[in-house]
């Protein structure tokens, strides 16, 4: 065990929110927090500054301000700092092999502003060795404007307007019964136990085409029978984990519908949404799965992406 939480810092509002979240999680785990700041290099490095010395001073000032803030609010927190250079996605993916948890800030909503969000978060999520948590800052713009974006993406029903800030609440686990990975379930139960939170497990699935061609309705009796079978399978899959974590209150439910939309809605009042990502051998591509990709961009609560075989 590495006994550490690693967080990326680049001075954006999102990365500062990630540092705050990682600090509180480090205290909850009783481990050291490691701040990683990546100076981008390569054929087309992005930087608002052109002078190397000025850029280093700017990076050090951001780190110093973050450390001063943490020391004043969390004096018991142990913190280390690594100033690294390279492609952020590669450096952060490599750093995931030497920590228990990697934390990054993310704008979501498909934005690519900032080099530790958007274009970097997606490839990092595809190649991390440890679980990755993406943390939002307080959203900007009106609640209605943001929710209209979610409605257009098919991830919220019209006239559904959750709060703009992520409150404390349950841990929501999105579980695919076709591949109920041990690492994914273990992370969700461990997180719920660590924070004394209820674990809500959601298995969302669409009816196969053989059960009806939309817009033709599926007979209610058949729907109820399928749901009952899926709920029984879900309870059976979670049974050994509940025995191992008797103090964790679990609410499990199988529901019919678009998985990404249902998970985003379920996580609106949650403290964390946990989803899985199958391990891939190749470093090429961003194979995170359609559901995980969607919730990474649209869920407002912190999203934990857990790699599994």
């Amino acid at each position: 065990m590495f006994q550490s939480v690693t967080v990326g810092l680049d001075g954006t509002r999102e990365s500062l929110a990630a540092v705050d979240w990682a600090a509180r999680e480090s205290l909850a785990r009783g481990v050291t927090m490691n701040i990683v700041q990546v100076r981008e290099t390569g054929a087309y490095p992005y930087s608002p500054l052109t002078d190397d010395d000025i850029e280093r001073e700017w990076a050090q000032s951001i780190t110093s301000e973050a450390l001063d803030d943490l020391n004043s609010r969390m004096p018991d927190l142990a913190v280390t700092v690594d100033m690294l250079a390279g492609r952020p996605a590669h450096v952060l993916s490599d750093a995931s092999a030497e920590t228990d948890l990697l934390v990054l800030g993310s704008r979501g909503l498909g934005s690519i502003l900032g080099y530790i969000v958007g274009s970097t978060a997606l490839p990092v999520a595809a190649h991390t060795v440890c679980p990755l948590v993406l943390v939002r800052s307080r959203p900007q713009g009106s609640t209605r404007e943001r929710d209209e974006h979610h409605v257009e993406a098919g991830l919220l029903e019209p006239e559904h307007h959750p709060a703009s800030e992520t409150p404390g609440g349950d841990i929501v686990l999105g579980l695919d019964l076709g591949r109920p990975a041990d690492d994914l379930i273990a992370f969700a139960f461990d997180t719920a136990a660590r924070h004394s939170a209820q674990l809500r497990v959601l298995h969302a699935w669409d009816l196969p085409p053989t059960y009806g061609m939309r817009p033709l309705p599926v007979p209610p009796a058949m729907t109820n029978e399928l749901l009952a079978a899926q709920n029984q399978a879900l309870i059976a899959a979670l049974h050994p984990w509940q025995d191992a974590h008797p103090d964790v209150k679990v609410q499990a439910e199988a529901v019919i519908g678009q998985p990404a939309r249902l998970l985003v809605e379920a996580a609106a009042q949650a403290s964390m949404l946990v989803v899985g990502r199958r391990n891939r051998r190749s470093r090429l591509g961003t194979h995170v799965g359609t559901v995980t990709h969607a919730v990474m961009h649209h869920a407002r609560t912190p999203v934990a992406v857990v790699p599994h075989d």
Side-chain angles (χ1 to χ4, degrees):
M1 295 293 292
F2 297 102
Q3 297 294 307
S4 67
V5 172
T6 297
V7 58
L9 173 66
D10 69 346
T12 61
R13 295 169 61 251
E14 293 73 29
S15 73
L16 293 174
V19 168
D20 183 75
W21 190 95
R24 289 183 279 109
E25 183 67 17
S26 298
L27 287 175
R29 291 170 174 254
V31 300
T32 299
M33 183 179 75
N34 181 36
I35 296 177
V36 174
Q37 195 168 74
V38 183
R39 180 185 175 216
E40 186 167 5
T41 61
Y44 302 99
Y46 168 79
S47 173
L49 306 174
T50 57
D51 186 276
D52 287 346
D53 291 336
I54 294 177
E55 185 172 353
R56 290 190 186 94
E57 291 178 3
W58 175 77
Q60 290 173 355
S61 67
I62 291 174
T63 304
S64 296
E65 290 176 5
L67 289 174
D68 289 343
D69 177 64
L70 291 172
N71 288 332
S72 65
R73 294 187 296 113
M74 307 176 190
D76 295 332
L77 177 67
V79 184
T80 61
V81 177
D82 285 330
M83 309 289 286
L84 305 175
R87 289 295 191 187
H90 293 167
V91 173
L92 292 167
S93 295
D94 291 342
S96 73
E98 300 178 357
T99 188
D100 300 302
L101 187 67
L102 179 63
V103 183
L104 299 180
S106 176
R107 285 182 189 273
L109 305 179
S111 173
I112 58 172
L113 299 177
Y115 66 79
I116 299 188
V117 297
S119 60
T120 296
L122 188 58
V124 171
H127 301 293
T128 51
V129 176
C130 70
L132 167 69
V133 176
L134 299 176
V135 179
R136 303 277 191 259
S137 64
R138 178 180 296 182
Q140 291 180 316
S142 71
T143 301
R144 179 173 297 276
E145 290 173 345
R146 293 191 304 275
D147 289 341
E148 286 176 353
H149 180 98
H150 291 302
V151 171
E152 291 174 0
L155 297 175
L156 283 181
E157 296 289 353
E159 299 183 358
H160 181 84
H161 302 293
S164 61
E165 297 185 35
T166 302
D170 299 345
I171 305 296
V172 175
L173 167 62
L175 187 62
D176 181 358
L177 286 177
R179 51 175 74 95
D182 288 351
D183 290 343
L184 174 62
I185 302 174
F187 179 87
F189 269 91
D190 179 72
T191 302
R194 193 184 305 278
H195 295 279
S196 300
Q198 175 177 266
L199 177 61
R200 183 182 179 191
V201 185
L202 195 66
H203 169 55
W205 55 292
D206 270 324
L207 288 172
T210 54
Y211 291 120
M213 295 297 294
R214 295 181 179 86
L216 296 178
V218 178
M222 180 180 293
T223 299
N224 293 336
E225 182 180 341
L226 291 169
L227 278 174
Q230 291 295 314
N231 274 292
Q232 289 177 359
L234 180 58
I235 292 172
L238 296 175
H239 183 72
W241 298 95
Q242 289 186 267
D243 286 345
H245 299 82
D247 295 334
V248 175
K249 183 178 179 181
V250 179
Q251 178 186 355
E253 183 182 12
V255 292
I256 296 175
Q258 183 187 24
R261 179 179 64 81
L262 292 172
L263 286 173
V264 169
E265 289 182 346
Q269 302 299 322
S271 59
M272 177 185 287
L273 172 60
V274 183
V275 291
R277 187 267 298 166
R278 295 183 66 186
N279 283 319
R280 306 284 182 173
R281 294 183 180 275
S282 174
R283 289 185 66 96
L284 300 177
T286 52
H287 307 286
V288 297
T290 56
V291 174
T292 296
H293 185 277
V295 300
M296 282 174 56
H297 284 291
H298 294 281
R300 293 182 188 140
T301 192
V303 177
V305 181
V306 181
H308 62 84
D309 294 326

